[in-house]
Amino acid sequence: MRQTWRWFGPHDQASVDDMRQAGVEGVVSALHHIPTGEIWSSKEIRRRQDDLSRLKDGSPSGLAWEVVESLPVSEDIKKQTGDWRAHIENYKQSLQHLSENGLETICYNFMPVLDWTRTDLAWKLPHGGDCMRFDLIDFAAFDIHILQRKNAAASFDERIVAKAEERFASMDEHRQRELARNVTGGLPGSTESLTIEDVRQLLAQYDAIDSERLRTHYVTFLEEVVPVAEKLGVRLCCHPDDPPFPLLGLPRIMSTEDDFETMLNAVDSPANGLTLCSGSLGARPDNDLAGLMLRFGPRVHFLHLRNVTREEAGIPASFHEAEHLGGSTDMVAFIAEILREEKRRKVEGRQDHQIPMRPDHGQRIVDDLGRSGQPGYPIIGRLRGLAELRGIMTALAHPIACQMDH
């Protein structure tokens, strides 16, 4: 696997020097300052590449921008409203500019409104560190009692509704505000400026869009952009829903193996692929990560390696971000299947036989605890995760391990 690191740009608390010292081979980044739906110009792309090319002392970094995460799909495209056709044309133009500047792997998602959802951004762990967490009871309390979404209680079973009522009654105003900020952290725009009424209005835009209609809109998007990507030699890879089950009455269409098979078959092209995120998919007990890699391996263009601990059975359920080797997903079995896929590709002569991966999320530990930054992206926590993942990769690649495997 090609070891990469996500970088949010020059303002990121992790510097180019930090990434170089971590020993990563490439960088995952995006032009977050460009509004969704607008064209990414070659000038801005080259500026980001230049940002990565030098260390603090001006010497060459040896690092390059290798994976785009994400080239966002606008809400207009997902809803097929407003300027959606113009946004698709802009998307194609951005792909052209990225290709011209040597970028071939493009991650994106098709989640309506929410990019990700957590109820806690700094949940205290027994060892003194913290992590992000999704608490189903807290989420139901937000949905039913804070957001007061119409018919929200019908989205949960009676046991969850009763517990959510008790949980909300025990919350002071500070926790209510904190919970609202955490949940809306995955919504577009600044979480500080979004009011509860803003959230209601965003959700209302999807009142008439169910899963089948959203899936139809997604196929339309793919039919437009995949031929362009194929012509350019670009690999598109859709990130799964996070978490992989319906929330706030919104449809979810990239949560399960059946979802992936439907979308890959709808536009059957090597350019139409997947970002396999073991953390997002691992929040469902019916997602077999090693099996998914086995069955969809040729179309997996990017990997997010992280782990979550499912706190109870069922779908949906509470979960929290675990140590990379300590959660509910068998990371050894998953990585073993990834390495098998890479061997198959190499035999086939594929130029993309080495799949880019990045250590995703991680727990805040040590110096992370005194440092503010992007939620879910601690420096030390990701370094630990990368070290653990390297250990698995090295062990599985060792001749003794290979002999035992056979």
Side-chain angles (χ1 to χ4, degrees), residues 116-201:
W116 51 266
T117 306
R118 301 291 187 271
T119 56
D120 294 275
L121 304 183
W123 188 60
K124 198 74 171 177
L125 291 159
H127 59 48
D130 62 44
C131 68
M132 298 204 299
R133 182 178 186 236
F134 177 85
D135 184 308
L136 183 59
I137 306 301
D138 275 355
F139 182 81
F142 166 80
D143 195 7
I144 299 169
H145 299 286
I146 298 176
L147 182 62
Q148 297 179 358
R149 182 173 62 89
K150 185 179 179 181
N151 298 324
S155 300
F156 307 94
D157 64 40
E158 293 181 359
R159 179 183 63 87
I160 299 298
V161 172
K163 288 189 174 183
E165 185 173 359
E166 293 178 7
R167 183 72 57 81
F168 178 72
S170 70
M171 291 181 188
D172 58 20
E173 290 186 9
H174 172 75
R175 176 52 184 162
Q176 291 179 32
R177 289 194 299 269
E178 179 184 54
L179 177 59
R181 284 196 303 269
N182 292 348
V183 172
T184 59
L187 290 164
S190 169
T191 57
E192 294 300 323
S193 63
L194 282 174
T195 66
I196 289 298
E197 186 54 37
D198 292 333
V199 176
R200 293 188 185 115
Q201 290 177 12

Coordinates of all heavy atoms in Angstrom, one line a residue, residues 116-201:
W116 N -20.6 13.6 7.8 CA -20.3 12.6 8.9 C -21.1 13.1 10.1 O -21.5 14.3 10.2 CB -18.8 12.5 9.2 CG -18.1 13.7 9.5 CD1 -17.4 14.5 8.6 CD2 -18.0 14.5 10.8 NE1 -16.9 15.6 9.2 CE2 -17.3 15.6 10.5 CE3 -18.5 14.2 12.0 CZ2 -17.0 16.5 11.5 CZ3 -18.3 15.1 13.0 CH2 -17.5 16.3 12.8
T117 N -21.4 12.2 11.1 CA -22.1 12.5 12.2 C -21.6 11.9 13.5 O -21.4 10.7 13.5 CB -23.6 12.1 12.1 OG1 -24.1 12.6 10.9 CG2 -24.5 12.6 13.2
R118 N -21.3 12.7 14.5 CA -20.9 12.3 15.8 C -21.6 13.1 16.9 O -21.9 14.3 16.7 CB -19.3 12.4 16.0 CG -18.5 11.7 15.0 CD -18.6 10.2 15.1 NE -17.6 9.5 14.3 CZ -17.9 9.1 13.0 NH1 -19.1 9.4 12.5 NH2 -17.0 8.5 12.3
T119 N -21.8 12.5 18.0 CA -22.4 13.2 19.1 C -21.4 13.7 20.1 O -21.6 14.7 20.9 CB -23.4 12.3 19.9 OG1 -22.7 11.1 20.3 CG2 -24.6 11.9 19.0
D120 N -20.2 13.1 20.1 CA -19.1 13.6 20.9 C -17.8 13.7 20.1 O -17.5 12.8 19.3 CB -18.8 12.6 22.1 CG -20.0 12.5 23.1 OD1 -20.0 13.3 24.0 OD2 -20.8 11.6 22.9
L121 N -17.1 14.8 20.2 CA -15.9 15.0 19.5 C -14.7 14.8 20.3 O -13.5 14.7 19.8 CB -15.8 16.4 18.9 CG -17.0 16.8 18.0 CD1 -16.7 18.2 17.4 CD2 -17.2 15.8 16.9
A122 N -14.9 14.7 21.6 CA -13.8 14.4 22.6 C -14.3 13.6 23.8 O -14.3 14.0 24.9 CB -13.2 15.7 23.1
W123 N -14.7 12.4 23.5 CA -15.2 11.4 24.5 C -14.1 10.8 25.3 O -13.1 10.3 24.7 CB -16.0 10.3 23.8 CG -16.8 9.5 24.7 CD1 -17.7 9.8 25.6 CD2 -16.7 8.0 24.8 NE1 -18.2 8.7 26.2 CE2 -17.6 7.6 25.8 CE3 -15.9 7.1 24.2 CZ2 -17.7 6.3 26.1 CZ3 -16.0 5.8 24.5 CH2 -16.9 5.4 25.5
K124 N -14.1 11.0 26.6 CA -13.0 10.5 27.5 C -12.9 9.0 27.5 O -13.8 8.3 27.7 CB -13.2 11.1 28.9 CG -12.0 11.1 29.8 CD -11.1 12.2 29.4 CE -9.9 12.3 30.4 NZ -9.0 13.4 30.0
L125 N -11.6 8.6 27.3 CA -11.3 7.2 27.3 C -10.6 6.8 28.6 O -10.0 7.6 29.3 CB -10.4 6.8 26.1 CG -11.0 6.9 24.7 CD1 -10.0 7.1 23.7 CD2 -11.9 5.7 24.5
P126 N -10.7 5.5 29.0 CA -10.1 5.1 30.3 C -8.6 5.4 30.4 O -8.1 5.6 31.5 CB -10.3 3.6 30.3 CG -11.6 3.4 29.4 CD -11.5 4.4 28.4
H127 N -7.9 5.4 29.3 CA -6.4 5.7 29.4 C -6.1 7.2 29.5 O -4.9 7.6 29.6 CB -5.7 5.0 28.2 CG -6.1 5.5 26.8 ND1 -6.3 6.8 26.5 CD2 -6.4 4.8 25.7 CE1 -6.6 6.9 25.2 NE2 -6.7 5.6 24.7
G128 N -7.1 8.1 29.4 CA -6.9 9.5 29.6 C -7.0 10.3 28.3 O -7.0 11.5 28.3
G129 N -6.9 9.6 27.2 CA -7.1 10.3 25.9 C -8.5 10.4 25.6 O -9.4 10.2 26.4
D130 N -8.9 10.8 24.4 CA -10.3 10.9 24.0 C -10.4 10.6 22.5 O -9.4 10.5 21.8 CB -10.9 12.3 24.3 CG -10.2 13.5 23.6 OD1 -9.9 13.4 22.4 OD2 -9.9 14.5 24.3
C131 N -11.7 10.5 22.1 CA -11.9 10.1 20.7 C -13.3 10.6 20.3 O -14.1 11.2 21.1 CB -11.9 8.6 20.5 SG -13.2 7.7 21.4
M132 N -13.7 10.5 19.0 CA -15.0 10.8 18.6 C -15.9 9.6 18.8 O -15.5 8.5 18.8 CB -15.0 11.2 17.1 CG -14.1 12.5 16.8 SD -14.7 13.3 15.3 CE -14.4 12.0 14.1
R133 N -17.2 10.0 19.1 CA -18.2 8.9 19.4 C -19.5 9.3 18.8 O -19.9 10.4 18.7 CB -18.3 8.8 20.9 CG -19.2 7.7 21.4 CD -19.2 7.6 22.9 NE -20.0 6.4 23.4 CZ -21.0 6.5 24.3 NH1 -21.3 7.7 24.8 NH2 -21.7 5.5 24.7
F134 N -20.3 8.2 18.4 CA -21.7 8.4 18.1 C -22.5 7.6 19.1 O -22.4 6.4 19.2 CB -22.0 7.8 16.7 CG -23.4 7.8 16.3 CD1 -24.0 9.0 15.7 CD2 -24.2 6.7 16.5 CE1 -25.3 9.0 15.3 CE2 -25.6 6.8 16.1 CZ -26.1 7.9 15.6
D135 N -23.2 8.4 19.9 CA -24.1 7.8 21.0 C -25.5 7.8 20.4 O -26.1 8.9 20.3 CB -24.0 8.6 22.3 CG -24.8 8.0 23.4 OD1 -26.0 7.7 23.2 OD2 -24.2 7.8 24.5
L136 N -26.1 6.7 20.2 CA -27.5 6.6 19.6 C -28.5 7.3 20.5 O -29.4 7.9 20.0 CB -27.9 5.1 19.3 CG -29.2 4.9 18.6 CD1 -29.3 5.6 17.3 CD2 -29.5 3.4 18.5
I137 N -28.4 7.2 21.8 CA -29.4 7.8 22.7 C -29.2 9.3 22.6 O -30.2 10.0 22.5 CB -29.2 7.3 24.1 CG1 -29.2 5.8 24.2 CG2 -30.2 7.9 25.0 CD1 -30.5 5.1 23.7
D138 N -28.0 9.8 22.7 CA -27.8 11.3 22.5 C -28.3 11.8 21.2 O -28.9 12.8 21.1 CB -26.3 11.6 22.7 CG -25.9 11.8 24.1 OD1 -26.8 11.7 25.0 OD2 -24.7 12.0 24.3
F139 N -28.1 11.0 20.1 CA -28.5 11.4 18.8 C -30.0 11.5 18.7 O -30.6 12.4 18.2 CB -28.0 10.5 17.7 CG -28.4 10.9 16.3 CD1 -27.7 12.0 15.7 CD2 -29.5 10.4 15.7 CE1 -28.0 12.4 14.5 CE2 -29.9 10.8 14.5 CZ -29.1 11.8 13.8
A140 N -30.7 10.5 19.3 CA -32.1 10.5 19.3 C -32.7 11.7 20.1 O -33.7 12.3 19.8 CB -32.7 9.2 19.9
A141 N -32.0 12.0 21.2 CA -32.4 13.1 22.1 C -32.3 14.4 21.3 O -33.1 15.3 21.3 CB -31.5 13.2 23.3
F142 N -31.2 14.6 20.5 CA -31.1 15.7 19.6 C -32.2 15.8 18.6 O -32.8 16.8 18.4 CB -29.7 15.7 18.9 CG -29.6 16.7 17.8 CD1 -29.4 18.0 18.0 CD2 -29.8 16.3 16.4 CE1 -29.3 18.9 17.0 CE2 -29.8 17.2 15.4 CZ -29.5 18.5 15.7
D143 N -32.4 14.7 17.9 CA -33.4 14.6 16.8 C -34.8 14.9 17.3 O -35.5 15.7 16.7 CB -33.3 13.3 16.1 CG -34.0 13.2 14.8 OD1 -34.4 14.3 14.3 OD2 -34.1 12.1 14.2
I144 N -35.2 14.3 18.4 CA -36.5 14.4 18.9 C -36.8 15.7 19.7 O -37.8 16.3 19.5 CB -36.9 13.1 19.7 CG1 -36.8 11.9 18.9 CG2 -38.3 13.3 20.3 CD1 -36.8 10.6 19.7
H145 N -35.9 16.0 20.6 CA -36.1 17.1 21.5 C -35.5 18.4 21.3 O -36.0 19.5 21.7 CB -35.7 16.6 22.9 CG -36.5 15.4 23.4 ND1 -37.8 15.4 23.8 CD2 -36.1 14.1 23.5 CE1 -38.2 14.2 24.1 NE2 -37.2 13.4 23.9
I146 N -34.3 18.4 20.6 CA -33.6 19.7 20.3 C -34.0 20.2 18.9 O -34.5 21.3 18.7 CB -32.1 19.5 20.4 CG1 -31.8 19.2 21.9 CG2 -31.4 20.8 20.0 CD1 -30.3 18.9 22.1
L147 N -33.8 19.3 17.9 CA -34.2 19.6 16.5 C -35.7 19.6 16.4 O -36.2 20.4 15.6 CB -33.5 18.7 15.5 CG -33.8 18.9 14.1 CD1 -33.2 20.2 13.6 CD2 -33.2 17.8 13.2
Q148 N -36.3 18.7 17.1 CA -37.8 18.6 17.0 C -38.3 18.3 15.6 O -39.2 18.9 15.1 CB -38.5 19.8 17.6 CG -38.2 19.9 19.1 CD -38.9 21.1 19.7 OE1 -39.6 21.9 19.1 NE2 -38.7 21.3 21.0
R149 N -37.5 17.4 14.9 CA -37.9 17.1 13.5 C -39.3 16.3 13.5 O -39.5 15.5 14.4 CB -36.8 16.1 12.9 CG -37.1 15.7 11.5 CD -35.9 15.0 11.0 NE -35.6 13.7 11.7 CZ -36.1 12.6 11.4 NH1 -37.0 12.4 10.4 NH2 -35.8 11.5 12.1
K150 N -40.1 16.7 12.6 CA -41.4 16.1 12.5 C -41.3 14.6 12.4 O -40.6 14.0 11.6 CB -42.2 16.7 11.3 CG -43.6 16.2 11.2 CD -44.3 16.8 10.0 CE -45.7 16.4 9.8 NZ -46.4 17.0 8.6
N151 N -42.1 13.9 13.2 CA -42.1 12.4 13.2 C -40.7 11.8 13.5 O -40.5 10.6 13.1 CB -42.6 11.9 11.9 CG -44.1 12.3 11.6 OD1 -44.9 12.4 12.5 ND2 -44.4 12.6 10.3
A152 N -39.9 12.5 14.2 CA -38.5 12.0 14.5 C -38.6 10.7 15.3 O -37.8 9.7 15.1 CB -37.7 13.0 15.2
A153 N -39.5 10.6 16.2 CA -39.6 9.5 17.1 C -39.9 8.2 16.4 O -39.5 7.1 16.8 CB -40.7 9.7 18.2
A154 N -40.5 8.3 15.2 CA -40.8 7.1 14.4 C -39.5 6.5 13.8 O -39.6 5.3 13.3 CB -41.8 7.5 13.3
S155 N -38.4 7.2 13.8 CA -37.2 6.7 13.3 C -36.4 5.8 14.3 O -35.4 5.2 13.9 CB -36.2 7.9 12.9 OG -36.8 8.7 12.0
F156 N -36.9 5.7 15.5 CA -36.3 4.9 16.5 C -37.3 3.9 17.2 O -38.5 4.2 17.2 CB -35.7 5.8 17.6 CG -34.8 6.9 17.1 CD1 -35.3 8.2 16.8 CD2 -33.4 6.7 16.9 CE1 -34.5 9.2 16.3 CE2 -32.6 7.7 16.4 CZ -33.2 9.0 16.1
D157 N -36.8 2.9 17.7 CA -37.7 1.9 18.4 C -38.1 2.6 19.8 O -37.4 3.5 20.3 CB -37.1 0.5 18.6 CG -35.9 0.5 19.4 OD1 -35.8 1.2 20.5 OD2 -34.9 -0.3 19.1
E158 N -39.1 2.0 20.4 CA -39.7 2.6 21.6 C -38.7 2.7 22.7 O -38.7 3.6 23.5 CB -40.9 1.8 22.0 CG -42.1 1.9 21.0 CD -43.3 1.1 21.5 OE1 -43.2 0.4 22.6 OE2 -44.3 1.1 20.8
R159 N -37.8 1.7 22.8 CA -36.8 1.7 23.9 C -35.8 2.9 23.8 O -35.5 3.5 24.8 CB -36.0 0.4 23.9 CG -34.9 0.3 24.9 CD -34.1 -1.0 24.7 NE -33.4 -1.1 23.4 CZ -32.2 -0.6 23.2 NH1 -31.6 0.0 24.2 NH2 -31.6 -0.7 22.0
I160 N -35.4 3.2 22.5 CA -34.5 4.3 22.3 C -35.2 5.6 22.6 O -34.7 6.5 23.2 CB -34.0 4.2 20.9 CG1 -33.2 3.0 20.6 CG2 -33.1 5.5 20.6 CD1 -32.0 2.8 21.5
V161 N -36.5 5.7 22.2 CA -37.3 6.9 22.4 C -37.4 7.2 23.9 O -37.2 8.4 24.3 CB -38.7 6.8 21.7 CG1 -39.5 8.0 22.1 CG2 -38.5 6.8 20.2
A162 N -37.7 6.2 24.7 CA -37.8 6.4 26.1 C -36.5 6.8 26.7 O -36.5 7.7 27.6 CB -38.3 5.1 26.7
K163 N -35.4 6.1 26.3 CA -34.1 6.5 26.9 C -33.7 7.9 26.5 O -33.1 8.6 27.2 CB -33.1 5.5 26.5 CG -33.2 4.1 27.1 CD -32.0 3.2 26.8 CE -32.1 1.9 27.6 NZ -30.9 1.1 27.4
A164 N -34.0 8.3 25.2 CA -33.7 9.6 24.8 C -34.4 10.7 25.6 O -33.9 11.8 25.9 CB -34.0 9.7 23.3
E165 N -35.6 10.4 25.9 CA -36.4 11.4 26.8 C -35.7 11.6 28.1 O -35.6 12.7 28.6 CB -37.8 10.9 26.9 CG -38.7 11.9 27.7 CD -40.2 11.5 27.7 OE1 -40.5 10.4 27.1 OE2 -41.0 12.2 28.3
E166 N -35.3 10.4 28.7 CA -34.6 10.5 30.0 C -33.3 11.3 29.9 O -32.9 12.1 30.7 CB -34.4 9.1 30.5 CG -35.6 8.3 30.9 CD -35.3 6.9 31.4 OE1 -34.1 6.6 31.5 OE2 -36.2 6.1 31.6
R167 N -32.5 11.0 28.8 CA -31.2 11.6 28.6 C -31.4 13.1 28.4 O -30.6 13.9 29.0 CB -30.6 11.0 27.3 CG -29.2 11.5 27.0 CD -28.1 11.0 28.0 NE -28.1 9.5 28.1 CZ -27.4 8.7 27.3 NH1 -26.8 9.2 26.2 NH2 -27.4 7.4 27.5
F168 N -32.4 13.5 27.6 CA -32.6 14.9 27.4 C -33.0 15.6 28.7 O -32.5 16.8 28.9 CB -33.7 15.1 26.3 CG -34.0 16.6 26.0 CD1 -33.1 17.4 25.4 CD2 -35.2 17.2 26.5 CE1 -33.4 18.7 25.1 CE2 -35.4 18.5 26.3 CZ -34.5 19.3 25.6
A169 N -33.8 15.0 29.5 CA -34.2 15.6 30.7 C -33.0 15.8 31.7 O -33.0 16.7 32.5 CB -35.3 14.7 31.4
S170 N -32.0 15.0 31.5 CA -30.8 15.2 32.4 C -29.8 16.1 31.9 O -28.8 16.5 32.6 CB -30.1 13.8 32.6 OG -29.5 13.4 31.3
M171 N -29.9 16.7 30.6 CA -29.0 17.6 30.0 C -29.2 19.0 30.5 O -30.3 19.5 30.5 CB -29.1 17.5 28.5 CG -28.7 16.3 27.8 SD -28.9 16.4 26.0 CE -28.5 14.8 25.5
D172 N -28.1 19.7 30.9 CA -28.2 21.1 31.1 C -28.0 21.8 29.8 O -27.8 21.2 28.7 CB -27.1 21.6 32.1 CG -25.7 21.3 31.7 OD1 -25.5 21.1 30.4 OD2 -24.8 21.3 32.5
E173 N -28.2 23.2 29.8 CA -28.2 23.9 28.5 C -26.8 23.8 27.8 O -26.8 23.8 26.6 CB -28.5 25.4 28.8 CG -30.0 25.6 29.2 CD -30.3 27.1 29.3 OE1 -29.4 27.9 28.9 OE2 -31.4 27.4 29.8
H174 N -25.7 23.8 28.6 CA -24.4 23.6 28.0 C -24.3 22.4 27.2 O -23.8 22.4 26.0 CB -23.3 23.7 29.1 CG -22.0 23.3 28.6 ND1 -21.2 24.3 27.8 CD2 -21.2 22.2 28.6 CE1 -20.1 23.7 27.5 NE2 -20.0 22.5 27.9
R175 N -24.7 21.2 27.7 CA -24.7 20.0 27.0 C -25.6 20.0 25.8 O -25.2 19.4 24.7 CB -25.0 18.8 27.9 CG -25.0 17.4 27.2 CD -23.8 17.1 26.4 NE -23.8 15.9 25.7 CZ -23.0 15.6 24.7 NH1 -22.1 16.4 24.3 NH2 -23.2 14.4 24.1
Q176 N -26.7 20.6 25.9 CA -27.6 20.7 24.7 C -27.0 21.4 23.6 O -27.0 21.0 22.4 CB -29.0 21.3 25.1 CG -29.8 20.5 26.1 CD -31.1 21.2 26.4 OE1 -31.6 22.0 25.6 NE2 -31.6 21.0 27.6
R177 N -26.3 22.6 23.9 CA -25.7 23.3 22.9 C -24.5 22.6 22.3 O -24.3 22.6 21.1 CB -25.2 24.7 23.5 CG -26.3 25.7 23.8 CD -25.8 27.1 24.0 NE -24.9 27.1 25.1 CZ -25.3 27.4 26.4 NH1 -26.6 27.6 26.6 NH2 -24.4 27.4 27.4
E178 N -23.7 21.9 23.2 CA -22.6 21.1 22.7 C -23.0 20.0 21.8 O -22.4 19.8 20.7 CB -21.8 20.6 23.9 CG -20.6 19.7 23.6 CD -20.0 19.1 24.8 OE1 -20.7 18.4 25.6 OE2 -18.8 19.3 25.0
L179 N -24.1 19.3 22.2 CA -24.6 18.2 21.4 C -25.0 18.7 20.0 O -24.7 18.1 19.0 CB -25.7 17.5 22.1 CG -26.4 16.4 21.3 CD1 -25.4 15.3 21.0 CD2 -27.6 15.8 22.2
A180 N -25.7 19.8 20.0 CA -26.2 20.4 18.7 C -25.0 20.8 17.8 O -25.0 20.5 16.6 CB -27.1 21.6 19.0
R181 N -23.9 21.4 18.4 CA -22.7 21.7 17.7 C -22.1 20.5 17.1 O -21.6 20.5 16.0 CB -21.8 22.5 18.5 CG -22.1 24.0 18.8 CD -20.9 24.8 19.3 NE -20.4 24.2 20.5 CZ -20.8 24.5 21.7 NH1 -21.7 25.4 21.9 NH2 -20.2 24.0 22.8
N182 N -22.0 19.4 17.9 CA -21.3 18.2 17.5 C -22.0 17.6 16.3 O -21.4 17.1 15.4 CB -21.1 17.3 18.7 CG -20.2 17.8 19.7 OD1 -19.5 18.7 19.5 ND2 -20.2 17.1 20.9
V183 N -23.3 17.4 16.5 CA -24.1 16.8 15.4 C -24.0 17.5 14.1 O -23.9 17.0 13.0 CB -25.6 16.5 15.9 CG1 -26.4 16.0 14.7 CG2 -25.6 15.6 17.0
T184 N -24.1 18.9 14.2 CA -24.2 19.7 13.0 C -22.7 19.9 12.5 O -22.6 20.6 11.4 CB -24.8 21.0 13.2 OG1 -24.2 21.8 14.3 CG2 -26.3 20.8 13.6
G185 N -21.7 19.4 13.1 CA -20.4 19.5 12.6 C -20.2 19.0 11.2 O -19.2 19.4 10.5
G186 N -21.0 18.0 10.8 CA -20.9 17.5 9.5 C -21.7 18.1 8.5 O -21.8 17.7 7.3
L187 N -22.4 19.2 8.8 CA -23.3 19.9 7.9 C -22.4 21.0 7.2 O -21.4 21.4 7.7 CB -24.4 20.7 8.7 CG -25.5 19.8 9.3 CD1 -26.3 20.5 10.3 CD2 -26.4 19.2 8.2
P188 N -22.8 21.3 6.0 CA -22.1 22.3 5.2 C -22.1 23.7 5.9 O -23.1 24.1 6.6 CB -22.8 22.4 3.9 CG -24.2 21.9 4.1 CD -24.0 20.9 5.2
G189 N -21.0 24.4 5.8 CA -21.0 25.8 6.4 C -20.4 25.7 7.8 O -20.0 24.7 8.3
S190 N -20.2 26.8 8.4 CA -19.7 26.9 9.8 C -20.7 26.5 10.8 O -21.8 26.9 10.8 CB -19.3 28.4 10.1 OG -19.0 28.6 11.4
T191 N -20.2 25.6 11.7 CA -21.1 25.1 12.7 C -21.6 26.2 13.7 O -22.6 26.2 14.3 CB -20.5 24.0 13.6 OG1 -19.3 24.5 14.1 CG2 -20.2 22.8 12.7
E192 N -20.8 27.3 13.8 CA -21.1 28.4 14.6 C -22.2 29.2 14.1 O -23.0 29.8 14.9 CB -19.9 29.3 14.8 CG -18.7 28.6 15.6 CD -19.1 28.2 17.0 OE1 -19.9 28.9 17.7 OE2 -18.6 27.1 17.4
S193 N -22.4 29.2 12.8 CA -23.5 30.1 12.2 C -24.8 29.4 11.9 O -25.7 30.0 11.5 CB -22.9 30.7 10.9 OG -22.6 29.7 10.0
L194 N -24.8 28.0 12.0 CA -26.0 27.3 11.8 C -26.9 27.2 13.0 O -26.5 26.8 14.0 CB -25.6 25.8 11.4 CG -25.1 25.6 9.9 CD1 -24.7 24.2 9.8 CD2 -26.2 25.9 8.9
T195 N -28.1 27.7 12.8 CA -29.1 27.7 13.8 C -29.9 26.4 13.6 O -29.8 25.7 12.6 CB -30.1 28.9 13.7 OG1 -30.8 28.8 12.5 CG2 -29.3 30.2 13.8
I196 N -30.7 26.0 14.6 CA -31.6 24.9 14.5 C -32.5 25.0 13.3 O -32.8 24.1 12.6 CB -32.3 24.6 15.8 CG1 -31.4 24.1 16.9 CG2 -33.5 23.6 15.6 CD1 -30.7 22.8 16.5
E197 N -33.0 26.3 13.1 CA -33.9 26.5 12.0 C -33.2 26.3 10.6 O -33.7 25.8 9.7 CB -34.5 27.9 12.1 CG -35.5 28.2 11.0 CD -36.7 27.2 11.0 OE1 -37.1 26.8 12.1 OE2 -37.1 26.9 9.9
D198 N -31.9 26.7 10.6 CA -31.1 26.5 9.4 C -31.0 25.0 9.1 O -31.2 24.5 7.9 CB -29.6 27.0 9.6 CG -29.5 28.5 9.6 OD1 -30.4 29.2 9.1 OD2 -28.6 29.0 10.3
V199 N -30.8 24.2 10.1 CA -30.8 22.7 9.9 C -32.1 22.2 9.4 O -32.2 21.4 8.5 CB -30.4 22.0 11.2 CG1 -30.4 20.5 11.1 CG2 -29.0 22.5 11.7
R200 N -33.2 22.7 10.0 CA -34.5 22.2 9.6 C -34.7 22.5 8.1 O -35.3 21.7 7.3 CB -35.6 22.9 10.4 CG -35.6 22.4 11.9 CD -36.8 23.0 12.6 NE -36.8 22.7 14.0 CZ -36.7 23.6 15.0 NH1 -36.7 24.9 14.7 NH2 -36.7 23.2 16.2
Q201 N -34.3 23.7 7.7 CA -34.5 24.1 6.3 C -33.6 23.2 5.3 O -34.1 22.8 4.2 CB -34.1 25.6 6.1 CG -35.1 26.5 6.7 CD -34.7 28.0 6.6 OE1 -33.8 28.3 5.9 NE2 -35.4 28.8 7.3

